[in-house]
Amino acid sequence: MQKNKYRIHSNTLFEIAQSRSFTDKDNIEERFDEEGKIKLVSDRAGADLSLSIIKTEDGLAYSVKWDDSEEVFRGWNMAWEEFIWCLGVVNKPIEEAAKKAAEEAKRRAAEEAVAAAEAEEAGQTEQQEEITTEETAQ
């Protein structure tokens, strides 16, 4: 099972955002920080990627922020797609490095297996030579 590459900060708000619009009944006003944002999701790679709910003049919107760029979306689906796309870009070097490390470990294990087999074969050859030397000496 593959581990999520993102962290959900509020499961309740995340589920509401996915399924419907926020209402007064959801009482989210108290959750906004001093900048007028509620962080819903962020990356685990430490790339400063986040998806937040923000207050705008037209009501609530979604903000996808990555480093010094920020895009605002009215709907969840577009914001989520943008977040997932950015997440893929963030994690690609990490995945490539992990794949390369796995290949390197596999190569190293194969080399060690060959070296062990050669050492064992060399040991058997020495034993055979010793036996031959003993037989010749008798």
Side-chain angles (χ1 to χ4, degrees):
M1 183 173 164
Q2 186 176 1
K3 189 173 182 177
N4 282 342
K5 296 175 178 131
Y6 56 86
R7 177 177 180 254
I8 299 173
H9 296 272
S10 171
N11 284 330
T12 305
L13 295 180
F14 184 75
E15 290 173 6
I16 292 170
Q18 288 179 306
S19 62
R20 62 177 173 82
S21 298
F22 290 97
T23 64
D24 292 338
K25 184 169 84 172
D26 296 320
N27 198 20
I28 65 169
E29 283 298 318
E30 62 207 29
R31 295 186 180 204
F32 284 99
D33 63 14
E34 59 277 351
E35 297 174 4
K37 291 184 176 186
I38 302 173
K39 188 183 286 189
L40 289 178
V41 187
S42 63
D43 71 296
R44 289 187 183 268
D48 196 28
L49 171 63
S50 65
L51 172 67
S52 303
I53 303 169
I54 61 170
K55 291 181 184 180
T56 66
E57 294 175 357
D58 300 327
L60 298 179
Y62 298 97
S63 165
V64 176
K65 183 179 182 303
W66 185 14
D67 288 330
D68 61 350
S69 69
E70 182 174 18
E71 289 191 53
V72 176
F73 301 90
R74 296 293 306 153
W76 168 261
N77 291 334
M78 291 298 294
W80 182 246
E81 285 178 23
E82 178 72 10
F83 178 81
I84 293 299
W85 181 84
C86 293
L87 193 63
V89 172
V90 165
N91 285 297
K92 188 170 182 146
I94 294 168
E95 290 168 355
E96 288 174 355
K99 185 178 178 182
K100 191 173 183 178
E103 289 171 357
E104 180 66 22
K106 194 175 186 179
R107 184 189 61 75
R108 205 174 293 129
E111 288 175 355
E112 289 173 1
V114 167
E118 288 174 352
E120 185 177 325
E121 187 178 306
Q124 289 177 351
T125 304
E126 284 180 20
Q127 285 179 343
Q128 192 64 30
E129 287 176 3
E130 287 176 13
I131 291 171
T132 305
T133 305
E134 288 176 12
E135 289 174 355
T136 309
Q138 292 177 356

